[in-house]
């Protein structure tokens, strides 16, 4: 078999290259073997990644057994929970681009033959997926696995319980001692946080895209089956290389249709919209926001996981995980079951051996939480290019909401206003200048949304922003409003007291101000400029495109 890596290993002219490879421990026999890259996202400050140094060893072992040479390298990572609520969050979304570029750099500079991606949290999964579609060499994903949920007084808790606990403390519902107990028990193990937040949503969707084995998104990090999954991934990558099966052979337009259908059915993080658009672009696949609404209208919401319910990822795994959701959707012809996967089976074949929906964690198509899906794209004069809302986390009586705007030009201003009592029932909180350019970096805003919930305003107040939300956000929270304020978007001209309509069933986001007045305001509108001390963030702000295009960089 002709190998990409032969270009650095074969021929007299490559003697210097081989000398360097020998210094890394490669033997004479290794010069005839494929070099299998392992992109490991191990880092000491992210709970989902602290165990990945040891986790990759079984993968490497299986690659060696199958005749390959494992080449491990690392990528950076940002913990969104730790970066949340301060300047550091501006680096989270940009890190996605750095991760994709770094993987491309290592793979192409050393002409590696195949790739095993070992992500787990936040922007690491989509960054690796973007690199995968860009490089198009045989690749398989195996994540580090989700965290077990914590427990306090017989009730399950997770990271969102801590964020919302701050609001409860401010409201006087709990004291500092009770908050401390929640804090100490919310994150009991390593792994990606226990709910269907962005990390776990994306790890589940790697199964649907066909780039990961069944169970990748739901088997707990501390479950012995996780090591078995890692070993199988090590064996499968050698088969993928042998048969020259590449990501673009698996992931096409229908794969993204399937991914959005499952995401909508399970009410995953709204961030998945941003990331799937970016991943599709790297594969040369055009995907429009309007297409997502078509899928949402025909796909019911059959699964609700924290923060949308008291169930956690471990519960989803217990009842069959993603294969069971696939099985239910296939009954209604809502996905294409003929899509291939890295397992060697189609989605239909994977679903056939899955248990039936249990009726609680995963409901049947006949008894859904809602007839339409858990994610919706809103359009209107406030969001000409679209906005995203996680409908699975919205109280039914908030699906249509009309309120008066109270505007903030940063997340910090909004938190101060919410905690200080400025935000009242009937308000639509507007947070702007937090988009890809304006942030810069499109910060996740779990702190203000959690404060709203913690202070008992979740069914009385809505929030819209050109920024984005954590997968842990719940409530009537509309993000990714495009164009953003810094790109002369209409969200920048909203004034305190303006009436705003959020109509999720009709997919509308409207500023209820006279059309001539809107035109006058837009004509005179000059976006605020921020001082950006970081050279990297300045470059990012200049190059980043709209959230409606996945917030990718100009190429």
């Amino acid at each position: 078999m002709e190998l990409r890596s032969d270009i650095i290993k074969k021929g007299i002219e490559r003697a210097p290259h081989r000398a360097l490879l020998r210094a890394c421990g490669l033997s004479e026999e290794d010069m005839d073997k494929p070099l299998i890259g392992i992109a490991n996202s191990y880092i000491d400050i992210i709970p989902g990644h602290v165990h990945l140094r040891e986790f990759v060893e079984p993968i490497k072992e299986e690659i060696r057994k199958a005749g390959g040479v494992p080449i491990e390298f690392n990528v950076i990572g940002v913990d969104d929970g730790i970066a949340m609520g301060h300047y550091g969050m501006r680096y989270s979304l940009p890190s996605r681009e750095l991760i994709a570029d770094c993987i491309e750099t290592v793979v192409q500079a050393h002409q590696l033959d195949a790739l095993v991606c070992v992500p787990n949290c936040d922007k690491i999964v989509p960054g690796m997926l973007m690199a995968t579609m860009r490089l198009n060499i045989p690749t398989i994903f195996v994540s580090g696995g989700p965290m077990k949920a914590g427990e306090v007084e017989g009730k399950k808790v997770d990271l969102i319980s801590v964020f919302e606990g701050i609001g409860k403390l401010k409201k006087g519902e709990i004291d500092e001692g009770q908050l401390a107990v929640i804090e100490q028990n919310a994150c009991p193990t390593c792994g990606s946080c226990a709910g269907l937040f962005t990390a776990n949503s994306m790890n589940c969707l790697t199964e649907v895209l066909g780039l990961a084995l069944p169970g990748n998104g739901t088997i707990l990090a501390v479950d012995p089956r996780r090591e078995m999954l890692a070993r199988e991934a090590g064996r499968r990558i050698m088969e993928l290389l042998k048969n020259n099966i590449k990501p673009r052979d698996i992931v096409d337009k229908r794969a993204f249709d399937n991914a959005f259908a499952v995401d909508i059915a399970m009410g995953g993080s709204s961030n998945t919209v941003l990331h799937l658009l970016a991943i599709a672009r790297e594969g040369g696949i055009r995907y429009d926001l309007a297409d997502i609404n078509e899928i949402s209208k025909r796909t019911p919401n059959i699964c609700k996981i924290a923060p949308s319910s008291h169930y956690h990822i471990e519960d989803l795994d217990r009842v069959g995980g993603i294969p069971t959701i696939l099985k239910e959707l296939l009954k209604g012809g809502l996905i294409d079951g003929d899509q291939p996967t890295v397992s060697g089976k189609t989605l239909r074949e994977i679903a056939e051996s899955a248990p039936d929906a249990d009726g609680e964690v995963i409901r049947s198509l006949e008894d859904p939480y809602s007839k339409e899906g858990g994610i919706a794209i809103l359009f209107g004069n406030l969001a000409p290019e679209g906005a995203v809302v996680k409908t699975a986390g919205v109280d039914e009586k908030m699906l249509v909401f009309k309120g008066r705007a109270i505007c903030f030009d940063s997340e910090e201003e909004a938190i101060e206003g919410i905690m200080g009592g400025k935000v009242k029932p009937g308000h639509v909180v507007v947070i702007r200048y937090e988009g890809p350019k304006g942030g810069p970096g499109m910060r996740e805003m779990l702190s203000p949304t959690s404060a709203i919930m913690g202070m008992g305003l979740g069914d009385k107040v809505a929030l819209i922003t050109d920024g984005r939300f954590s997968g842990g956000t719940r409530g009537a929270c509309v993000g990714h409003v495009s164009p953003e304020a810094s790109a002369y978007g209409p969200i920048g001209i909203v004034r305190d007291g303006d009436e705003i309509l959020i109509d999720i069933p009709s997919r509308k986001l409207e500023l209820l101000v006279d059309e001539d007045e809107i035109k006058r305001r837009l004509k005179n509108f000059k976006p605020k400029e921020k001082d950006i001390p970081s050279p990297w963030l300045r470059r990012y702000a200049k190059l980043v495109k709209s959230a409606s295009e996945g917030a990718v960089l100009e190429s």
Side-chain angles (χ1 to χ4, degrees):
M1 177 174 60
E2 187 175 342
L3 298 170
R4 273 170 46 101
S5 62
D6 285 348
I7 198 169
I8 66 168
K9 296 183 305 185
K10 299 294 183 179
I12 295 172
E13 294 84 359
R14 297 303 184 234
H17 304 63
R18 290 192 296 275
L20 292 167
L21 292 172
R22 291 180 200 280
C24 296
L26 272 68
S27 67
E28 187 66 36
E29 293 76 20
D30 289 337
M31 300 301 171
D32 293 321
K33 297 176 181 177
L35 303 184
I36 311 298
I38 301 177
N40 188 359
S41 54
Y42 161 76
I43 184 171
D44 275 340
I45 201 166
I46 305 179
H49 299 244
V50 292
H51 61 303
L52 296 185
R53 180 185 284 170
E54 298 80 15
F55 181 72
V56 299
E57 291 305 318
I59 302 172
K60 294 163 81 171
E61 186 179 322
E62 296 300 329
I63 289 171
R64 290 190 190 98
K65 286 180 184 177
V69 180
I71 305 293
E72 183 183 352
F73 62 96
N74 283 89
V75 299
I76 66 164
V78 171
D79 187 306
D80 281 16
I82 297 172
M84 198 82 66
H86 59 87
Y87 186 84
M89 192 63 198
R90 290 182 169 88
Y91 289 89
S92 176
L93 187 59
S95 75
R96 186 188 70 177
E97 314 305 313
L98 291 177
I99 289 163
D101 290 348
C102 285
I103 291 176
E104 177 190 353
T105 299
V106 173
V107 169
Q108 295 291 56
H110 306 100
Q111 291 295 289
L112 302 182
D113 297 296
L115 186 62
V116 179
C117 289
V118 186
N120 215 18
C121 294
D122 299 312
K123 306 309 151 301
I124 295 98
V125 188
M128 288 188 173
L129 283 165
M130 289 167 68
T132 292
M133 295 301 290
R134 188 187 301 175
L135 289 165
N136 201 33
I137 63 172
T139 302
I140 194 168
F141 276 67
V142 56
S143 78
M147 182 185 290
K148 186 175 176 60
E151 190 172 311
V152 173
E153 296 179 352
K155 292 184 179 180
K156 294 287 182 70
V157 293
D158 54 43
L159 181 64
I160 307 310
S161 307
V162 189
F163 274 97
E164 293 185 359
I166 297 169
K168 290 180 179 180
L169 176 68
K170 296 282 186 182
K171 196 181 176 187
E173 290 185 4
I174 62 174
D175 58 31
E176 289 188 21
Q178 290 171 301
L179 179 59
V181 171
I182 298 171
E183 173 192 330
Q184 291 156 12
N185 290 277
C187 300
T189 71
C190 63
S192 45
C193 294
L196 196 58
F197 315 139
T198 305
N200 290 329
S201 296
M202 289 304 303
N203 281 324
C204 286
L205 294 183
T206 57
E207 294 184 44
V208 187
L209 289 171
L211 294 177
L213 298 170
N216 181 66
T218 60
I219 297 173
L220 292 183
V222 294
D223 190 319
R225 292 179 297 149
R226 181 58 60 173
E227 181 181 332
M228 294 168 61
L229 191 75
R231 289 188 178 278
E232 179 61 18
R235 292 189 289 268
R236 284 302 305 168
I237 190 59
M238 297 303 291
E239 288 297 314
L240 293 169
L241 177 61
K242 178 182 176 182
N243 295 302
N244 195 31
I245 298 173
K246 301 184 289 294
R248 293 193 195 185
D249 299 327
I250 294 172
V251 183
D252 54 15
K253 174 67 161 54
R254 64 177 170 167
F256 285 96
D257 288 341
N258 286 342
F260 276 117
V262 171
D263 192 32
I264 285 163
M266 68 183 184
S269 165
S270 59
N271 279 321
T272 54
V273 175
L274 194 72
H275 298 321
L276 287 172
L277 290 175
I279 296 159
R281 183 178 183 272
E282 292 289 357
I285 300 165
R286 179 166 180 77
Y287 214 101
D288 293 324
L289 280 172
D291 296 340
I292 301 169
N293 270 341
E294 292 305 310
I295 296 172
S296 183
K297 286 175 183 176
R298 65 174 181 259
T299 307
N301 180 205
I302 59 172
C303 179
K304 284 195 178 188
I305 304 296
S308 301
S309 79
H310 63 280
Y311 295 119
H312 288 80
I313 291 292
E314 59 202 63
D315 298 304
L316 179 57
D317 185 62
R318 171 174 52 81
V319 301
I322 295 303
T324 293
I325 293 178
L326 293 172
K327 187 174 187 177
E328 198 62 30
L329 294 181
L330 279 165
K331 290 178 183 178
L334 297 170
I335 59 171
D336 187 334
D338 295 327
Q339 184 199 330
T341 74
V342 290
S343 70
K345 298 179 180 180
T346 63
L347 290 183
R348 189 184 314 279
E349 290 169 330
I350 289 170
E352 282 172 354
S353 59
D356 292 332
D358 69 311
E360 294 180 3
V361 181
I362 301 173
R363 292 189 177 184
S364 67
L365 293 179
E366 294 74 32
D367 182 34
Y369 283 101
S370 61
K371 291 182 179 180
E372 294 190 1
I375 290 177
I377 310 300
L378 310 185
F379 293 94
N381 64 7
L382 254 181
E385 294 177 7
V388 181
V389 60
K390 181 175 176 176
T391 58
V394 180
D395 189 297
E396 189 173 341
K397 66 183 179 183
M398 295 290 288
L399 290 173
V400 178
F401 185 82
K402 188 186 292 185
R404 296 287 176 181
I406 180 168
C407 301
F408 303 99
D409 289 343
S410 71
E411 177 187 12
E412 288 82 1
E413 285 183 19
I415 293 171
E416 184 179 344
I418 295 165
M419 294 295 195
K422 290 182 180 178
V423 174
K424 307 290 185 184
H427 270 147
V428 176
V429 177
V430 178
I431 307 178
R432 55 202 177 191
Y433 297 103
E434 290 289 2
K437 286 184 181 294
M442 203 180 185
R443 292 189 288 177
E444 284 187 351
M445 283 175 278
L446 182 57
S447 294
T449 60
S450 295
I452 286 171
M453 299 304 295
M455 296 185 74
L457 294 170
D459 61 350
K460 303 174 185 69
V461 165
L463 189 154
I464 68 169
T465 180
D466 53 11
R468 61 194 177 93
F469 300 116
S470 161
T473 288
R474 61 191 177 103
C477 301
V478 181
H480 308 198
V481 174
S482 300
E484 61 178 290
S486 290
Y488 293 87
I491 192 173
I493 63 164
V494 180
R495 296 176 180 173
D496 286 350
D498 284 347
E499 198 169 38
I500 292 173
L501 171 67
I502 300 170
D503 186 342
I504 294 172
S506 299
R507 305 297 194 259
K508 289 182 180 179
L509 179 61
E510 296 280 348
L511 177 62
L512 302 180
V513 171
D514 180 76
E515 190 175 330
D516 288 338
E517 171 64 11
I518 290 174
K519 288 179 180 178
R520 187 186 66 77
R521 289 188 195 178
L522 284 171
K523 183 179 179 180
N524 297 320
F525 176 49
K526 185 177 180 181
K528 291 185 176 182
E529 293 186 7
K530 288 183 180 177
D531 177 40
I532 307 171
S534 162
W536 157 226
L537 292 182
R538 284 200 299 272
R539 290 197 303 274
Y540 180 85
K542 286 180 181 178
L543 295 173
V544 71
K545 297 170 75 99
S546 170
S548 63
E549 298 180 71
V552 294
L553 298 185
E554 294 278 4
S555 58

